[in-house]
Amino acid sequence: MFQKEEYFVLILGLDNAGKTTYLEQTKTKFSRNYKGMNLSKITTTVGLNIGKIDIGNVRLNFWDLGGQEELQALWDKYYAESHAVVFMIDSSDKERIEESKEAFDKMLSNETLCGVPLLLLANKQDLADCLSVPDIKTDFKGSAHKIGHRDCSVMGTSALNGDGVGEGIQWIVDSVK
Ligand code: GDP
């Protein structure tokens, strides 16, 4: 039997950004036998949610880590094993954009992640009055010099209704291979 190419993907971002919903949506879309949870009943990640999906010959293993301030201290324990990072932003929460940027900058300044592909997701695009993808790009512009030489993309998503989730996963597959 042929061996799958196996990769590890971290899903990071502040609590309430939509990380758990994104992982559930991903498993529902890409795992044939996965029945899924009721997405509207998901509550914020306190420990670690894991999931895996297979796309062709590629297996993506996801680690969705808790985003509360005290749990952010644990993120770097996973950096050495990661092949890609999804950083999720709640585009509807303008009051926490600065906090989100600080967590993002702190993550980027860790050298272990140097060169690891990075997907920024502007989540909750289904909500009226949320920040658009260009708005988020402008807000995060100050961090651009820290991104360095790596694949990086910013995309809009709605983890709740699934918009943009497939495109993001395809981007990860193309970047890690
Ligand atoms: P986490 O703390 O980052 O894991 O966030 P959760 O996945 O627990 O989501 C936090 C809240 O945001 C929940 O009430 C979700 O239903 C909601 N949520 C997540 N993604 C979206 C989205 O794309 N659109 C909307 N409207 N709500 C979302």
Side-chain angles (χ1 to χ4, degrees):
M1 228 176 89
F2 73 98
Q3 206 63 45
K4 281 204 182 296
E5 293 172 41
E6 187 143 13
Y7 300 98
F8 290 86
V9 182
L10 280 182
I11 307 177
L12 305 177
L14 298 186
D15 52 291
N16 208 48
K19 300 179 295 298
T20 313
T21 308
Y22 181 79
L23 181 56
E24 280 303 310
Q25 188 68 256
T26 300
K27 289 195 278 190
T28 305
K29 267 189 197 305
F30 290 94
S31 299
R32 224 177 302 150
N33 297 321
Y34 189 67
K35 297 254 178 346
M37 292 166 69
N38 182 340
L39 290 182
S40 62
K41 297 236 164 77
I42 286 173
T43 52
T44 202
T45 314
V46 175
L48 164 72
N49 289 315
I50 54 170
K52 65 168 187 271
I53 57 168
D54 292 334
I55 300 177
N57 192 28
V58 170
R59 170 163 293 171
L60 296 179
N61 295 284
F62 291 94
W63 291 324
D64 154 28
L65 304 183
Q68 291 93 334
E69 208 174 344
E70 58 279 17
L71 297 175
Q72 288 176 29
L74 300 175
W75 290 1
D76 60 5
K77 309 279 180 286
Y78 295 83
Y79 289 169
E81 317 293 331
S82 332
H83 299 101
V85 172
V86 175
F87 190 90
M88 188 152 272
I89 301 156
D90 180 347
S91 317
S92 71
D93 193 350
K94 295 171 189 165
E95 287 178 8
R96 293 186 79 195
I97 281 292
E98 195 53 45
E99 189 186 344
S100 180
K101 241 177 3 184
E102 280 167 21
F104 181 71
D105 280 345
K106 186 159 183 234
M107 173 199 78
L108 276 185
S109 57
N110 190 307
E111 287 188 359
T112 316
L113 279 182
C114 194
V116 171
L118 177 62
L119 177 61
L120 253 99
L121 291 180
N123 192 36
K124 307 199 187 180
Q125 287 296 309
D126 57 289
L127 292 177
D129 204 29
C130 68
L131 294 166
S132 66
V133 171
D135 290 338
I136 296 278
K137 281 186 179 169
T138 305
D139 279 340
F140 280 69
K141 213 173 182 170
S143 309
H145 66 284
K146 293 190 182 158
I147 288 170
H149 295 288
R150 71 171 91 211
D151 282 349
C152 181
S153 184
V154 188
M155 292 183 188
T157 46
S158 169
L160 198 58
N161 68 25
D163 286 351
V165 171
E167 290 86 337
I169 297 298
Q170 191 56 53
W171 186 89
I172 295 168
V173 170
D174 293 340
S175 302
V176 293
K177 274 173 88 170

PDB file of all heavy atoms in Angstrom, residues 90-115:
ATOM      1  N   ASP A  90     -11.410  37.113  13.832  1.00  0.00           N
ATOM      2  CA  ASP A  90     -12.843  37.413  13.832  1.00  0.00           C
ATOM      3  C   ASP A  90     -13.020  38.806  13.220  1.00  0.00           C
ATOM      4  O   ASP A  90     -12.786  39.816  13.877  1.00  0.00           O
ATOM      5  CB  ASP A  90     -13.366  37.366  15.282  1.00  0.00           C
ATOM      6  CG  ASP A  90     -14.859  37.679  15.357  1.00  0.00           C
ATOM      7  OD1 ASP A  90     -15.433  38.160  14.361  1.00  0.00           O
ATOM      8  OD2 ASP A  90     -15.440  37.448  16.443  1.00  0.00           O
ATOM      9  N   SER A  91     -13.428  38.836  11.947  1.00  0.00           N
ATOM     10  CA  SER A  91     -13.527  40.116  11.227  1.00  0.00           C
ATOM     11  C   SER A  91     -14.646  40.998  11.767  1.00  0.00           C
ATOM     12  O   SER A  91     -14.714  42.184  11.447  1.00  0.00           O
ATOM     13  CB  SER A  91     -13.815  39.879   9.745  1.00  0.00           C
ATOM     14  OG  SER A  91     -13.041  38.849   9.235  1.00  0.00           O
ATOM     15  N   SER A  92     -15.539  40.402  12.573  1.00  0.00           N
ATOM     16  CA  SER A  92     -16.668  41.190  13.076  1.00  0.00           C
ATOM     17  C   SER A  92     -16.334  41.850  14.415  1.00  0.00           C
ATOM     18  O   SER A  92     -17.100  42.665  14.917  1.00  0.00           O
ATOM     19  CB  SER A  92     -17.901  40.301  13.239  1.00  0.00           C
ATOM     20  OG  SER A  92     -17.718  39.412  14.332  1.00  0.00           O
ATOM     21  N   ASP A  93     -15.196  41.484  15.001  1.00  0.00           N
ATOM     22  CA  ASP A  93     -14.863  41.994  16.335  1.00  0.00           C
ATOM     23  C   ASP A  93     -13.773  43.066  16.236  1.00  0.00           C
ATOM     24  O   ASP A  93     -12.593  42.807  16.475  1.00  0.00           O
ATOM     25  CB  ASP A  93     -14.413  40.827  17.229  1.00  0.00           C
ATOM     26  CG  ASP A  93     -14.369  41.223  18.697  1.00  0.00           C
ATOM     27  OD1 ASP A  93     -14.495  42.439  18.981  1.00  0.00           O
ATOM     28  OD2 ASP A  93     -14.204  40.328  19.541  1.00  0.00           O
ATOM     29  N   LYS A  94     -14.226  44.272  15.876  1.00  0.00           N
ATOM     30  CA  LYS A  94     -13.257  45.357  15.657  1.00  0.00           C
ATOM     31  C   LYS A  94     -12.508  45.718  16.934  1.00  0.00           C
ATOM     32  O   LYS A  94     -11.363  46.144  16.897  1.00  0.00           O
ATOM     33  CB  LYS A  94     -13.979  46.576  15.081  1.00  0.00           C
ATOM     34  CG  LYS A  94     -14.526  46.271  13.696  1.00  0.00           C
ATOM     35  CD  LYS A  94     -15.424  47.357  13.150  1.00  0.00           C
ATOM     36  CE  LYS A  94     -16.087  46.828  11.877  1.00  0.00           C
ATOM     37  NZ  LYS A  94     -17.216  47.597  11.426  1.00  0.00           N
ATOM     38  N   GLU A  95     -13.182  45.523  18.070  1.00  0.00           N
ATOM     39  CA  GLU A  95     -12.540  45.887  19.345  1.00  0.00           C
ATOM     40  C   GLU A  95     -11.350  45.001  19.680  1.00  0.00           C
ATOM     41  O   GLU A  95     -10.481  45.398  20.452  1.00  0.00           O
ATOM     42  CB  GLU A  95     -13.555  45.803  20.480  1.00  0.00           C
ATOM     43  CG  GLU A  95     -14.522  46.951  20.414  1.00  0.00           C
ATOM     44  CD  GLU A  95     -15.580  46.893  21.478  1.00  0.00           C
ATOM     45  OE1 GLU A  95     -15.483  46.044  22.379  1.00  0.00           O
ATOM     46  OE2 GLU A  95     -16.514  47.712  21.378  1.00  0.00           O
ATOM     47  N   ARG A  96     -11.306  43.790  19.091  1.00  0.00           N
ATOM     48  CA  ARG A  96     -10.204  42.881  19.446  1.00  0.00           C
ATOM     49  C   ARG A  96      -9.177  42.723  18.317  1.00  0.00           C
ATOM     50  O   ARG A  96      -8.292  41.868  18.421  1.00  0.00           O
ATOM     51  CB  ARG A  96     -10.754  41.507  19.867  1.00  0.00           C
ATOM     52  CG  ARG A  96     -11.530  41.577  21.174  1.00  0.00           C
ATOM     53  CD  ARG A  96     -11.926  40.200  21.646  1.00  0.00           C
ATOM     54  NE  ARG A  96     -10.837  39.469  22.301  1.00  0.00           N
ATOM     55  CZ  ARG A  96     -10.855  38.161  22.536  1.00  0.00           C
ATOM     56  NH1 ARG A  96     -11.882  37.433  22.141  1.00  0.00           N
ATOM     57  NH2 ARG A  96      -9.845  37.580  23.136  1.00  0.00           N
ATOM     58  N   ILE A  97      -9.300  43.565  17.282  1.00  0.00           N
ATOM     59  CA  ILE A  97      -8.352  43.445  16.160  1.00  0.00           C
ATOM     60  C   ILE A  97      -6.915  43.702  16.627  1.00  0.00           C
ATOM     61  O   ILE A  97      -5.982  42.994  16.257  1.00  0.00           O
ATOM     62  CB  ILE A  97      -8.753  44.394  14.998  1.00  0.00           C
ATOM     63  CG1 ILE A  97      -9.882  43.771  14.202  1.00  0.00           C
ATOM     64  CG2 ILE A  97      -7.581  44.728  14.084  1.00  0.00           C
ATOM     65  CD1 ILE A  97      -9.519  42.513  13.416  1.00  0.00           C
ATOM     66  N   GLU A  98      -6.761  44.686  17.492  1.00  0.00           N
ATOM     67  CA  GLU A  98      -5.423  45.023  17.989  1.00  0.00           C
ATOM     68  C   GLU A  98      -4.838  43.837  18.786  1.00  0.00           C
ATOM     69  O   GLU A  98      -3.678  43.469  18.613  1.00  0.00           O
ATOM     70  CB  GLU A  98      -5.533  46.286  18.872  1.00  0.00           C
ATOM     71  CG  GLU A  98      -4.229  46.982  19.166  1.00  0.00           C
ATOM     72  CD  GLU A  98      -3.401  47.311  17.932  1.00  0.00           C
ATOM     73  OE1 GLU A  98      -3.973  47.802  16.939  1.00  0.00           O
ATOM     74  OE2 GLU A  98      -2.173  47.061  17.972  1.00  0.00           O
ATOM     75  N   GLU A  99      -5.672  43.242  19.614  1.00  0.00           N
ATOM     76  CA  GLU A  99      -5.248  42.074  20.400  1.00  0.00           C
ATOM     77  C   GLU A  99      -4.876  40.900  19.479  1.00  0.00           C
ATOM     78  O   GLU A  99      -3.883  40.193  19.707  1.00  0.00           O
ATOM     79  CB  GLU A  99      -6.418  41.682  21.322  1.00  0.00           C
ATOM     80  CG  GLU A  99      -6.107  40.630  22.348  1.00  0.00           C
ATOM     81  CD  GLU A  99      -7.367  40.204  23.106  1.00  0.00           C
ATOM     82  OE1 GLU A  99      -8.401  40.913  23.067  1.00  0.00           O
ATOM     83  OE2 GLU A  99      -7.306  39.118  23.724  1.00  0.00           O
ATOM     84  N   SER A 100      -5.653  40.758  18.414  1.00  0.00           N
ATOM     85  CA  SER A 100      -5.393  39.693  17.456  1.00  0.00           C
ATOM     86  C   SER A 100      -4.041  39.926  16.762  1.00  0.00           C
ATOM     87  O   SER A 100      -3.242  38.998  16.582  1.00  0.00           O
ATOM     88  CB  SER A 100      -6.538  39.672  16.438  1.00  0.00           C
ATOM     89  OG  SER A 100      -6.348  38.682  15.495  1.00  0.00           O
ATOM     90  N   LYS A 101      -3.808  41.198  16.404  1.00  0.00           N
ATOM     91  CA  LYS A 101      -2.538  41.551  15.762  1.00  0.00           C
ATOM     92  C   LYS A 101      -1.344  41.287  16.680  1.00  0.00           C
ATOM     93  O   LYS A 101      -0.295  40.823  16.248  1.00  0.00           O
ATOM     94  CB  LYS A 101      -2.566  43.045  15.399  1.00  0.00           C
ATOM     95  CG  LYS A 101      -2.421  43.248  13.929  1.00  0.00           C
ATOM     96  CD  LYS A 101      -2.510  44.676  13.453  1.00  0.00           C
ATOM     97  CE  LYS A 101      -2.663  45.760  14.469  1.00  0.00           C
ATOM     98  NZ  LYS A 101      -2.833  47.085  13.919  1.00  0.00           N
ATOM     99  N   GLU A 102      -1.537  41.585  17.972  1.00  0.00           N
ATOM    100  CA  GLU A 102      -0.440  41.339  18.940  1.00  0.00           C
ATOM    101  C   GLU A 102      -0.117  39.848  19.018  1.00  0.00           C
ATOM    102  O   GLU A 102       1.051  39.451  19.037  1.00  0.00           O
ATOM    103  CB  GLU A 102      -0.829  41.865  20.319  1.00  0.00           C
ATOM    104  CG  GLU A 102      -0.644  43.368  20.435  1.00  0.00           C
ATOM    105  CD  GLU A 102      -1.324  43.949  21.667  1.00  0.00           C
ATOM    106  OE1 GLU A 102      -1.599  43.188  22.620  1.00  0.00           O
ATOM    107  OE2 GLU A 102      -1.587  45.172  21.659  1.00  0.00           O
ATOM    108  N   ALA A 103      -1.161  39.023  19.054  1.00  0.00           N
ATOM    109  CA  ALA A 103      -0.937  37.564  19.115  1.00  0.00           C
ATOM    110  C   ALA A 103      -0.260  37.086  17.829  1.00  0.00           C
ATOM    111  O   ALA A 103       0.630  36.234  17.850  1.00  0.00           O
ATOM    112  CB  ALA A 103      -2.273  36.841  19.314  1.00  0.00           C
ATOM    113  N   PHE A 104      -0.674  37.669  16.705  1.00  0.00           N
ATOM    114  CA  PHE A 104      -0.100  37.326  15.406  1.00  0.00           C
ATOM    115  C   PHE A 104       1.393  37.697  15.358  1.00  0.00           C
ATOM    116  O   PHE A 104       2.235  36.890  14.955  1.00  0.00           O
ATOM    117  CB  PHE A 104      -0.881  38.074  14.322  1.00  0.00           C
ATOM    118  CG  PHE A 104      -0.424  37.809  12.917  1.00  0.00           C
ATOM    119  CD1 PHE A 104      -0.671  36.580  12.324  1.00  0.00           C
ATOM    120  CD2 PHE A 104       0.222  38.787  12.181  1.00  0.00           C
ATOM    121  CE1 PHE A 104      -0.267  36.327  11.016  1.00  0.00           C
ATOM    122  CE2 PHE A 104       0.628  38.545  10.873  1.00  0.00           C
ATOM    123  CZ  PHE A 104       0.387  37.313  10.293  1.00  0.00           C
ATOM    124  N   ASP A 105       1.705  38.909  15.799  1.00  0.00           N
ATOM    125  CA  ASP A 105       3.097  39.375  15.805  1.00  0.00           C
ATOM    126  C   ASP A 105       3.969  38.500  16.698  1.00  0.00           C
ATOM    127  O   ASP A 105       5.097  38.175  16.356  1.00  0.00           O
ATOM    128  CB  ASP A 105       3.171  40.824  16.310  1.00  0.00           C
ATOM    129  CG  ASP A 105       2.801  41.798  15.214  1.00  0.00           C
ATOM    130  OD1 ASP A 105       2.769  41.394  14.039  1.00  0.00           O
ATOM    131  OD2 ASP A 105       2.523  42.966  15.533  1.00  0.00           O
ATOM    132  N   LYS A 106       3.420  38.144  17.846  1.00  0.00           N
ATOM    133  CA  LYS A 106       4.181  37.313  18.787  1.00  0.00           C
ATOM    134  C   LYS A 106       4.479  35.952  18.154  1.00  0.00           C
ATOM    135  O   LYS A 106       5.605  35.446  18.236  1.00  0.00           O
ATOM    136  CB  LYS A 106       3.387  37.146  20.085  1.00  0.00           C
ATOM    137  CG  LYS A 106       4.153  36.435  21.146  1.00  0.00           C
ATOM    138  CD  LYS A 106       3.627  36.703  22.533  1.00  0.00           C
ATOM    139  CE  LYS A 106       4.521  35.988  23.537  1.00  0.00           C
ATOM    140  NZ  LYS A 106       3.795  35.114  24.425  1.00  0.00           N
ATOM    141  N   MET A 107       3.480  35.412  17.492  1.00  0.00           N
ATOM    142  CA  MET A 107       3.672  34.122  16.819  1.00  0.00           C
ATOM    143  C   MET A 107       4.761  34.238  15.743  1.00  0.00           C
ATOM    144  O   MET A 107       5.653  33.399  15.644  1.00  0.00           O
ATOM    145  CB  MET A 107       2.348  33.691  16.187  1.00  0.00           C
ATOM    146  CG  MET A 107       2.449  32.466  15.327  1.00  0.00           C
ATOM    147  SD  MET A 107       1.065  32.334  14.201  1.00  0.00           S
ATOM    148  CE  MET A 107       1.517  33.489  12.938  1.00  0.00           C
ATOM    149  N   LEU A 108       4.665  35.337  14.949  1.00  0.00           N
ATOM    150  CA  LEU A 108       5.626  35.511  13.846  1.00  0.00           C
ATOM    151  C   LEU A 108       7.055  35.711  14.336  1.00  0.00           C
ATOM    152  O   LEU A 108       8.003  35.395  13.624  1.00  0.00           O
ATOM    153  CB  LEU A 108       5.244  36.739  13.007  1.00  0.00           C
ATOM    154  CG  LEU A 108       4.196  36.569  11.930  1.00  0.00           C
ATOM    155  CD1 LEU A 108       4.050  37.857  11.155  1.00  0.00           C
ATOM    156  CD2 LEU A 108       4.541  35.432  10.982  1.00  0.00           C
ATOM    157  N   SER A 109       7.190  36.262  15.533  1.00  0.00           N
ATOM    158  CA  SER A 109       8.545  36.546  15.995  1.00  0.00           C
ATOM    159  C   SER A 109       9.238  35.292  16.536  1.00  0.00           C
ATOM    160  O   SER A 109      10.410  35.327  16.893  1.00  0.00           O
ATOM    161  CB  SER A 109       8.551  37.683  17.015  1.00  0.00           C
ATOM    162  OG  SER A 109       7.709  37.329  18.060  1.00  0.00           O
ATOM    163  N   ASN A 110       8.517  34.173  16.583  1.00  0.00           N
ATOM    164  CA  ASN A 110       9.150  32.927  17.012  1.00  0.00           C
ATOM    165  C   ASN A 110       9.876  32.272  15.830  1.00  0.00           C
ATOM    166  O   ASN A 110       9.251  31.918  14.823  1.00  0.00           O
ATOM    167  CB  ASN A 110       8.091  31.976  17.577  1.00  0.00           C
ATOM    168  CG  ASN A 110       8.714  30.784  18.249  1.00  0.00           C
ATOM    169  OD1 ASN A 110       9.533  30.085  17.653  1.00  0.00           O
ATOM    170  ND2 ASN A 110       8.351  30.546  19.491  1.00  0.00           N
ATOM    171  N   GLU A 111      11.176  32.127  15.952  1.00  0.00           N
ATOM    172  CA  GLU A 111      11.979  31.663  14.808  1.00  0.00           C
ATOM    173  C   GLU A 111      11.684  30.226  14.379  1.00  0.00           C
ATOM    174  O   GLU A 111      11.974  29.845  13.257  1.00  0.00           O
ATOM    175  CB  GLU A 111      13.463  31.822  15.120  1.00  0.00           C
ATOM    176  CG  GLU A 111      13.846  33.277  15.085  1.00  0.00           C
ATOM    177  CD  GLU A 111      15.332  33.503  15.200  1.00  0.00           C
ATOM    178  OE1 GLU A 111      16.075  32.514  15.327  1.00  0.00           O
ATOM    179  OE2 GLU A 111      15.726  34.675  15.167  1.00  0.00           O
ATOM    180  N   THR A 112      11.117  29.457  15.284  1.00  0.00           N
ATOM    181  CA  THR A 112      10.809  28.056  14.932  1.00  0.00           C
ATOM    182  C   THR A 112       9.858  27.993  13.733  1.00  0.00           C
ATOM    183  O   THR A 112       9.878  27.038  12.965  1.00  0.00           O
ATOM    184  CB  THR A 112      10.168  27.331  16.133  1.00  0.00           C
ATOM    185  OG1 THR A 112      10.897  27.682  17.295  1.00  0.00           O
ATOM    186  CG2 THR A 112      10.158  25.842  15.967  1.00  0.00           C
ATOM    187  N   LEU A 113       9.026  29.030  13.591  1.00  0.00           N
ATOM    188  CA  LEU A 113       8.039  29.016  12.510  1.00  0.00           C
ATOM    189  C   LEU A 113       8.560  29.633  11.219  1.00  0.00           C
ATOM    190  O   LEU A 113       7.808  29.740  10.246  1.00  0.00           O
ATOM    191  CB  LEU A 113       6.784  29.777  12.941  1.00  0.00           C
ATOM    192  CG  LEU A 113       5.778  29.050  13.815  1.00  0.00           C
ATOM    193  CD1 LEU A 113       4.590  29.950  14.085  1.00  0.00           C
ATOM    194  CD2 LEU A 113       5.318  27.753  13.167  1.00  0.00           C
ATOM    195  N   CYS A 114       9.812  30.024  11.232  1.00  0.00           N
ATOM    196  CA  CYS A 114      10.414  30.695  10.079  1.00  0.00           C
ATOM    197  C   CYS A 114      10.201  29.875   8.787  1.00  0.00           C
ATOM    198  O   CYS A 114      10.525  28.693   8.744  1.00  0.00           O
ATOM    199  CB  CYS A 114      11.909  30.836  10.377  1.00  0.00           C
ATOM    200  SG  CYS A 114      12.717  31.943   9.291  1.00  0.00           S
ATOM    201  N   GLY A 115       9.618  30.499   7.775  1.00  0.00           N
ATOM    202  CA  GLY A 115       9.434  29.825   6.483  1.00  0.00           C
ATOM    203  C   GLY A 115       8.197  28.943   6.387  1.00  0.00           C
ATOM    204  O   GLY A 115       7.881  28.433   5.311  1.00  0.00           O
TER     205      GLY A 115
END
